[in-house]
């Protein structure tokens, strides 16, 4: 540990040239005790500012003197305080909500130019209040759908899981929930995310110039922070929608000292649909999902705090045919837990230690009479990490840390039995690996105009035994087996990952930024595009599978207008990716019986480039943004498409979005979303030929066909009743009632407190307003006979959702 701290002190040596004092502390919401992430603290006289980290901690250094300290964050009243800095000072700040729009404008004006000031590129911080105003599918607030409205982030259309950032695949995004990786972030094949908006506090997306503290993925980081729980008062939030309901309960365990939050959600699609499908082709089919979030935190003292958080979610698809005596069960989902300890050494040094568990698993179980077949896959991680945040002075923000993960992979495991007879399909395949990393970075304000964020990350990945490597001859027959004992090294990889971003301020409202980042990814997701269920297989690096590597270059111009009311930016990027992974032509995940899973893969390279345009109105009754991306995404594999380069299936030349919200008054709020994207790509037959008397397809080059463009409009209207008059009327009625009964007013006060805290709203959402039939997939039809010249071939499009209205009742007390 001493050597580790020395690295920090050496990097910050220049900070000790003059005597500075520091002011540090934690910023919280006065109403519920939640820490505030990303709040700005400014010393007005010297124009030096700092921001709170993800735990609400800040530290700012300045020479001895008298200062005006301003603390500000969007939606809260600005706090102005005179301080005398003649020693290291601790100051905890509590924010109160802004009382009116004018005050909110003042807050935003003073703390709204982080996008121009920061050296970080491609970073977007979204507040849950903002997300909840955006129209959502079937009224369910969705974080993943919201980030897909940002430039550079794409979805693959309705019914597809994952999102794609700057040409990367869905496995190249690091999704964190309270520091725990989430490997499958979608319910219902991508229509809903696993994140319950009532339990989430903050969402941060980084799509370029990834800081050194993040690693293991090539494209982006989606860092999601759960609420800590109200440590002032008990609170219940919930909502009842057309297909799902949710409830969140939070409150103090020891007031102002410890708190909890529990949030649950479940769909009732299975219950609602059952009467309608009894006489249809879907008879016997059932599907539902549920998830549970929980968190506990305890403030030991001003310098120590612990958190324990967890998530558990499951999708379950069931089918049963009594006529055929056949049934299928397909459950899949995530589980995670994280224990964290925050410790403040002093006013300049903050630490976070964490132990993390995460699991994703998928199962397919089929039964017919006395025969049963099972296929399973999944991944489990055990993580230990330690991070330090050091603030030597107002010009430096140094971060350093270590991270270790023990991976257990189950690529695909098959078993079958009939009665008491068990079929030999080989042993369950489990792969094991150590994944370790160390990093250091410095966010350094070199001058008032020039700022850099420089970091270096070193990672080491080792696949270990027990493991059997099957050796095959040219016919595919196993001729030898190499056996590795437990903990014996099978394959080892390591690499340095430099990260650098820089900002040059042209004036207080505009800047130019540039960044370069190299990333390694040691785990991979292999996807069969023809399979619609979440059967994607996670694989580690092996002696055959090399680490994915990316190098990304980006350049951007950032400009704010009208005292930071409007944000604008233009970013261009170029990214190369090596050791990309795909299944070989004709390969399936079930081919792993008596074989190594990595024998089914082929490897290639990819590259992507484009430009992103963004305009956002940040405040006022009318707010929202416009985003547009022009991009190209290429792939090339020696064993696919005859070795020729091809456009990726999720390549979209044009991708645009419009997001608008309007707060008409305290009662009415309106939202609108419009999206447009060039159609996805696929491979369709160019013609047909007879082979041994059968008609066969003659397919064209990979992804040479482009489907119809995707576009739609969603709207919502939220009505929040004004209960002021009703509350007063109810209070008077209760007073009269209790006076007649001769009781005191203590119970009146208690009841009125509950009624005053109660609020509710009704949201009417309409998905796909103009009933656009967007393509889900294309299939071919044939009529006639090829031999007599009457064959007619057609292509038909399958779409999922027409116009869909929904109504949700939300409540809070």
């Amino acid at each position: 540990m001493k050597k580790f701290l020395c690295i920090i002190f050496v990097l910050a040596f220049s900070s000790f040239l003059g005597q500075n004092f520091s002011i540090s502390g934690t910023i919280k919401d006065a109403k519920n005790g939640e820490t505030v992430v990303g709040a700005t603290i400014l010393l007005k006289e010297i124009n030096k500012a700092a921001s709170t980290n993800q735990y609400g901690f800040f530290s700012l250094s300045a020479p001895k003197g008298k200062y005006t300290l301003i603390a500000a964050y969007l939606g809260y009243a600005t706090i102005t305080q005179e301080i005398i800095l003649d020693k290291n000072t601790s100051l905890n700040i509590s924010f109160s909500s802004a009382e009116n729009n004018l005050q909110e404008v003042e807050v935003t004006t003073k703390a709204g130019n982080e996008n121009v000031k920061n050296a970080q590129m491609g970073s977007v911080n979204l507040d849950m209040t903002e997300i909840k105003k955006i129209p959502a599918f079937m009224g369910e607030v969705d974080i993943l759908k919201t980030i897909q409205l940002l430039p550079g982030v794409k979805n693959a259309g309705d019914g597809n899981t994952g999102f794609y950032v700057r040409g990367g695949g869905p496995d190249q995004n690091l999704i964190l929930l309270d520091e725990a990786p989430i490997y499958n972030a979608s319910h219902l094949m991508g229509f809903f995310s696993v994140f319950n908006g009532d339990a989430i506090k903050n969402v941060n997306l980084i799509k370029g110039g990834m800081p050194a503290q993040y690693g293991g993925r090539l494209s982006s980081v989606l860092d999601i922070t759960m609420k800590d729980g109200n440590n002032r008062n008990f609170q219940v939030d919930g909502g009842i929608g057309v297909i799902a309901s949710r409830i969140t309960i939070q409150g103090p365990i020891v007031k102002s000292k410890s708190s909890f939050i529990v949030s649950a959600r479940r769909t009732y699609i299975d219950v609602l649909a059952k009467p309608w499908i009894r006489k249809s082709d879907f008879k016997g089919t059932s599907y539902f999902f549920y998830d549970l979030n929980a968190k506990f935190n305890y403030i030991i003292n001003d310098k120590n705090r612990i958190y324990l958080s967890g998530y558990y979610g499951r999708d379950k698809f069931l089918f049963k045919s009594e006529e055929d005596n056949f049934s299928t069960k397909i459950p899949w989902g995530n589980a995670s837990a994280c224990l964290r300890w925050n410790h403040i050494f002093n006013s300049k040094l903050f630490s976070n230690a964490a132990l993390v568990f995460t699991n994703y698993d998928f199962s397919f179980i089929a039964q017919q009479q006395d025969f049963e077949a099972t296929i399973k896959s999944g991944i489990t991680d055990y993580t230990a990490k330690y991070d330090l945040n050091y603030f030597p002075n107002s010009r430096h923000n140094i971060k350093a840390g270590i991270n270790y993960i023990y991976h257990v992979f189950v690529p695909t495991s098959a078993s079958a039995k009939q009665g008491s007879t068990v079929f030999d399909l080989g042993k369950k395949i489990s792969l094991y690996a150590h994944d370790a990393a160390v990093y250091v970075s410095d966010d350094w304000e070199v001058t008032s105009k020039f700022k850099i964020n420089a970091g270096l990350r070193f990672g080491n990945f080792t696949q270990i035994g027990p493991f059997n490597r099957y050796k095959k001859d040219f016919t595919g027959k196993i001729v030898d087996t190499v056996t590795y004992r437990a903990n014996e090294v099978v394959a080892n990889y390591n690499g340095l990952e430099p990260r650098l971003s820089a900002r040059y301020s042209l004036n207080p409202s505009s800047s130019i930024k540039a960044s370069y980042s190299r990333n390694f990814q040691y785990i991979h997701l292999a996807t069969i595009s023809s399979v619609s269920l979440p059967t994607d297989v996670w694989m580690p690096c092996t002696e055959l599978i090399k680490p994915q590597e990316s190098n990304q270059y980006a350049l951007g111009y950032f400009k704010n207008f009208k005292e930071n009311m409007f944000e604008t930016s233009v970013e261009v990027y170029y990214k190369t990716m090596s050791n990309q992974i795909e299944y070989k032509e004709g390969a399936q995940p079930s081919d792993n019986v008596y074989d190594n899973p990595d024998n089914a893969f082929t490897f290639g390279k990819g590259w992507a480039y484009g430009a992103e345009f963004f305009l956002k109105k940040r405040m006022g009754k009318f707010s929202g943004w416009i985003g547009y991306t022009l991009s190209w995404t290429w792939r090339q594999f020696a064993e696919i498409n005859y070795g020729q380069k091809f456009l990726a299936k999720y390549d979209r030349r044009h991708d645009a979005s419009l997001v608008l919200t309007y707060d008409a008054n305290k009662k009415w709020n309106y939202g609108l979303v419009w999206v447009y994207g060039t159609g996805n790509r696929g491979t369709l037959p160019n013609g047909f030929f007879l082979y041994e008397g059968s008609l066969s397809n003659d397919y064209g080059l990979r992804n040479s066909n482009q489907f119809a463009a995707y576009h739609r409009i969603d709207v919502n209207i939220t009505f929040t009743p004004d209960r002021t008059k009703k509350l007063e009327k109810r209070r008077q009625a209760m007073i009269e009632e209790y006076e007649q009964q001769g009781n005191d007013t203590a119970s009146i006060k208690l009841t009125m407190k509950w009624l005053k805290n109660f609020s509710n709203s009704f949201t009417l959402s309409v998905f796909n307003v103009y009933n656009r039939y967007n393509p889900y997939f294309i299939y071919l039809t044939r009529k006639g006979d090829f031999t007599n010249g009457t064959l007619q071939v057609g292509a038909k499009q399958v779409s999922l959702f027409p116009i869909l209205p929904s109504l949700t009742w939300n409540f809070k007390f």
Side-chain angles (χ1 to χ4, degrees):
M1 176 58 68
K2 290 182 179 179
K3 291 182 179 180
F4 186 55
L5 290 174
C6 284
I7 296 174
I8 297 175
F9 296 143
V10 170
L11 288 174
F13 178 76
S14 60
S15 65
F16 296 97
L17 297 178
Q19 184 181 16
N20 288 327
F21 296 104
S22 64
I23 179 168
S24 63
T26 302
I27 296 184
K28 299 180 180 180
D29 186 312
K31 187 176 181 180
N32 54 34
E34 289 277 355
T35 55
V36 179
V37 180
T40 298
I41 303 91
L42 173 71
L43 296 181
K44 184 178 179 180
E45 286 76 9
I46 57 175
N47 197 32
K48 295 295 181 183
S51 297
T52 54
N53 65 14
Q54 66 185 101
Y55 301 102
F57 177 81
F58 73 91
S59 179
L60 186 61
S61 296
K64 179 179 179 180
K66 184 177 181 181
Y67 298 100
T68 302
L69 182 143
I70 299 174
Y73 189 71
L74 183 64
Y76 290 100
T78 303
I79 292 179
T80 303
Q81 183 175 336
E82 300 293 330
I83 61 168
I84 296 176
L85 200 60
D86 55 3
K87 61 181 179 179
N88 292 335
T89 303
S90 177
L91 177 66
N92 294 324
I93 298 171
S94 294
F95 274 150
S96 299
S97 297
E99 297 177 357
N100 51 61
N101 289 333
L102 290 176
Q103 197 168 18
E104 188 171 330
V105 170
E106 181 185 0
V107 172
T108 308
T109 300
K110 292 179 179 177
N113 62 343
E114 291 86 358
N115 63 311
V116 173
K117 290 167 50 182
N118 292 338
Q120 178 68 49
M121 287 189 69
S123 179
V124 181
N125 194 278
L126 295 172
D127 186 79
M128 284 307 302
T129 303
E130 183 179 19
I131 293 175
K132 288 182 177 181
K133 293 180 180 180
I134 298 172
F137 178 72
M138 300 304 289
E140 288 295 310
V141 173
D142 196 318
I143 292 171
L144 294 188
K145 288 291 188 292
T146 301
I147 66 168
Q148 290 167 15
L149 300 173
L150 297 169
V153 185
K154 305 175 185 179
N155 69 1
D158 295 333
N160 289 274
T161 61
F163 58 96
Y164 306 85
V165 178
R166 292 186 172 180
D171 65 317
Q172 295 174 358
N173 304 308
L174 178 62
I175 303 175
L176 300 173
L177 178 63
D178 268 8
E179 301 192 37
I182 301 297
Y183 283 100
N184 187 322
S186 298
H187 287 305
L188 191 58
M189 314 320 175
F191 291 111
F192 301 100
S193 76
V194 300
F195 307 111
N196 184 343
D198 289 342
I200 303 303
K201 174 166 62 176
N202 189 70
V203 179
N204 187 35
L205 173 69
I206 303 171
K207 56 184 178 177
M210 192 184 298
Q213 67 262 35
Y214 298 110
R217 301 295 188 275
L218 299 189
S219 293
S220 75
V221 178
L222 182 62
D223 198 347
I224 300 170
T225 305
M226 285 177 57
K227 291 179 179 177
D228 299 328
N230 192 328
N231 67 8
R232 304 285 198 270
N233 301 287
F234 284 98
Q235 179 181 325
V236 177
D237 303 79
I240 299 175
V242 175
I243 63 171
S245 290
R246 64 191 188 279
I247 189 166
T248 300
I249 303 173
Q250 55 184 310
I253 299 173
V254 178
K255 196 167 185 177
S256 301
K257 191 82 171 176
S258 64
S259 62
F260 74 93
I261 181 170
V262 177
S263 185
R265 178 176 58 163
R266 190 195 191 279
T267 57
Y268 26 77
I269 305 173
D270 52 329
V271 178
L272 296 177
K274 193 172 183 179
W276 303 96
I277 64 176
R278 285 176 178 172
K279 297 182 180 180
S280 72
D281 294 337
F282 298 99
K283 179 182 178 182
T285 302
S286 175
Y287 169 83
F288 64 92
F289 72 78
Y290 61 87
D291 42 38
L292 176 70
N293 296 79
K295 190 171 184 178
F296 160 84
N297 78 93
Y298 179 69
I299 303 173
I300 301 172
N301 52 43
D302 287 343
K303 293 184 177 294
N304 294 278
R305 185 170 185 171
I306 58 173
Y307 305 82
L308 177 62
S309 58
Y311 168 82
Y312 185 82
R314 279 293 179 272
D315 290 66
K316 291 191 175 183
F317 175 84
L318 309 171
F319 175 77
K320 185 174 183 180
S321 173
E322 296 181 358
E323 297 175 358
D324 301 324
N325 197 17
F326 174 80
S327 65
T328 299
K329 299 178 182 178
I330 309 177
W332 69 93
N334 302 274
S336 69
C338 180
L339 176 63
R340 287 176 293 170
W341 169 40
N342 286 176
H343 175 65
I344 302 173
F345 287 94
N346 52 51
S347 61
K348 295 185 177 184
L349 187 59
F350 176 92
S351 72
N352 175 60
L355 297 173
V356 183
F357 166 83
T358 187
N359 167 264
Y360 169 74
D361 62 73
F362 168 86
S363 298
F364 175 90
I365 305 166
Q367 291 180 311
Q368 188 166 29
Q369 296 180 355
D370 63 343
F371 177 80
E372 179 180 313
T374 302
I375 298 176
K376 293 185 177 182
S377 66
I379 179 172
T380 302
D381 289 349
Y382 304 88
T383 303
K385 57 179 298 190
Y386 187 72
D387 302 285
L388 288 169
N389 202 175
Y390 180 56
F391 308 87
N393 59 30
S394 60
R395 291 187 179 274
H396 291 272
N397 182 352
I398 297 173
K399 296 180 180 180
I402 55 177
N403 185 79
Y404 168 76
I405 306 173
Y406 179 65
H407 297 286
V408 180
F409 301 83
V410 181
T412 299
S413 175
S415 63
K417 66 179 182 178
Q418 188 165 13
S420 59
T421 303
V422 178
F423 298 95
D424 184 8
L425 300 180
K427 295 181 180 180
K428 176 184 175 181
I429 299 174
S430 294
L431 305 177
Y432 307 91
H434 299 298
D435 190 347
V438 59
Y439 74 89
V440 62
S441 68
D442 186 9
D443 194 34
W444 179 21
E445 188 173 12
V446 183
T447 69
S448 60
K449 287 185 173 293
F450 185 56
K451 186 176 185 180
I452 64 171
N453 187 303
L456 185 64
R457 184 182 182 91
F458 177 78
N460 182 278
F461 187 92
T462 306
Q463 183 197 358
I464 60 171
F467 176 71
N468 290 327
R469 169 60 66 187
Y470 301 110
K471 303 291 185 178
K472 294 184 175 183
D473 61 17
F474 67 95
T475 66
K477 181 181 178 181
I478 297 174
V479 295
D480 191 18
T481 301
V482 179
T483 300
Y484 295 88
R485 298 185 302 273
N487 296 314
E488 187 176 355
V489 174
V490 179
N492 177 262
Y493 301 96
N494 57 67
L496 282 172
E497 304 175 44
R499 315 283 175 81
L500 178 65
S501 58
R503 176 225 72 198
Y504 182 78
S505 295
L506 302 175
N507 53 54
S509 64
S510 64
S511 64
I512 296 174
K513 301 182 186 181
S515 70
Y516 165 75
S517 61
R518 177 191 296 165
N519 293 61
F520 286 101
Q521 181 167 329
Y522 299 102
I523 64 174
H524 318 262
L525 186 67
T527 303
I528 295 289
S529 59
S530 60
V531 179
S532 59
L533 293 173
T535 53
D536 300 341
V537 175
W538 285 96
M539 283 289 298
C541 284
T542 65
E543 57 184 323
L544 298 184
I545 303 176
K546 310 301 181 185
Q548 298 183 57
E549 179 183 351
S550 74
N551 289 276
Q552 179 172 269
Y553 311 84
L555 180 67
Y557 174 70
F558 297 78
K559 172 69 176 177
N560 287 4
F561 297 93
K562 296 194 69 173
E563 295 184 313
N564 301 313
M565 178 179 287
F566 292 92
E567 290 182 11
T568 63
S569 65
V570 178
E571 296 186 52
V572 295
Y573 67 90
Y574 180 81
K575 179 163 67 173
T576 61
M577 296 165 282
S578 61
N579 300 322
Q580 301 300 284
I581 183 172
E582 292 277 0
Y583 275 104
K584 293 178 180 177
E585 299 283 7
Q588 296 288 335
S590 56
D591 295 340
N592 295 337
V593 177
Y594 286 116
D595 199 0
N596 298 123
D598 51 9
N599 285 328
F601 304 129
T602 184
F603 309 96
K605 62 182 180 179
W607 60 99
Y609 47 90
E612 301 167 0
F613 303 85
F614 189 57
L615 167 63
K616 182 177 183 180
K617 186 175 184 293
R618 304 182 66 250
M619 55 185 159
K621 290 187 174 183
F622 181 81
S623 61
W625 69 78
I626 300 173
Y628 171 71
T629 305
L630 174 67
S631 63
W632 289 260
T633 302
W634 295 91
R635 293 291 187 269
Q636 188 171 22
F637 292 78
E639 298 184 43
I640 297 177
N641 203 49
Y642 309 104
Q644 300 179 40
K645 69 177 183 179
F646 58 91
L647 290 164
K649 62 183 178 181
Y650 43 84
D651 170 78
R652 281 189 173 180
R653 190 70 61 252
H654 306 284
D655 191 85
S657 61
L658 171 66
V659 178
L660 301 174
T661 62
Y662 179 63
D663 295 317
N665 50 49
K666 291 183 178 180
K667 289 185 178 182
W668 295 98
N669 171 268
Y670 305 90
L672 179 145
V673 166
W674 173 76
V675 294
Y676 174 88
T678 304
N680 287 339
R681 293 187 170 272
T683 309
L684 296 177
N686 286 336
F688 304 90
F689 61 92
L690 280 176
Y691 179 74
E692 296 182 350
S694 299
L695 191 64
S696 300
N697 296 327
D698 181 17
Y699 284 97
L701 295 177
R702 173 68 70 100
N703 295 339
S704 57
N705 301 98
Q706 188 169 57
F707 303 145
Y710 181 99
H711 55 89
R712 70 170 201 276
I713 284 180
D714 307 333
V715 298
N716 71 355
I717 301 173
T718 300
F719 171 67
T720 305
D722 185 358
R723 303 179 63 252
T724 305
K725 293 181 180 180
K726 290 184 178 180
L727 283 172
E728 180 58 26
K729 187 176 181 180
R730 176 61 177 159
R731 190 180 72 85
Q732 292 296 335
M734 291 178 65
I735 291 174
E736 293 177 4
E737 180 181 349
Y738 278 97
E739 284 179 348
Q740 292 175 1
Q741 297 176 0
N743 296 326
D744 58 32
T745 59
S747 57
I748 297 178
K749 292 180 179 179
L750 184 63
T751 304
M752 287 305 301
K753 181 180 179 181
W754 183 88
L755 289 173
K756 186 177 181 181
N757 290 330
F758 179 84
S759 63
N760 70 128
S761 64
F762 299 87
T763 300
L764 174 66
S765 301
V766 182
F767 177 86
N768 196 5
V769 170
Y770 51 77
N771 201 32
R772 163 73 176 177
Y773 285 89
N774 288 302
Y776 179 49
F777 65 84
I778 306 291
Y779 70 94
L780 301 178
T781 61
R782 300 177 186 174
K783 291 182 180 180
D785 192 337
F786 179 79
T787 58
N788 60 20
T790 61
L791 177 66
Q792 294 180 343
V793 179
K796 290 191 175 182
Q797 172 183 298
V798 174
S799 301
L800 287 180
F801 293 119
I803 180 172
L804 282 177
S806 63
L807 181 66
T808 304
W809 175 54
N810 299 297
F811 58 86
K812 177 181 177 180
F813 58 86

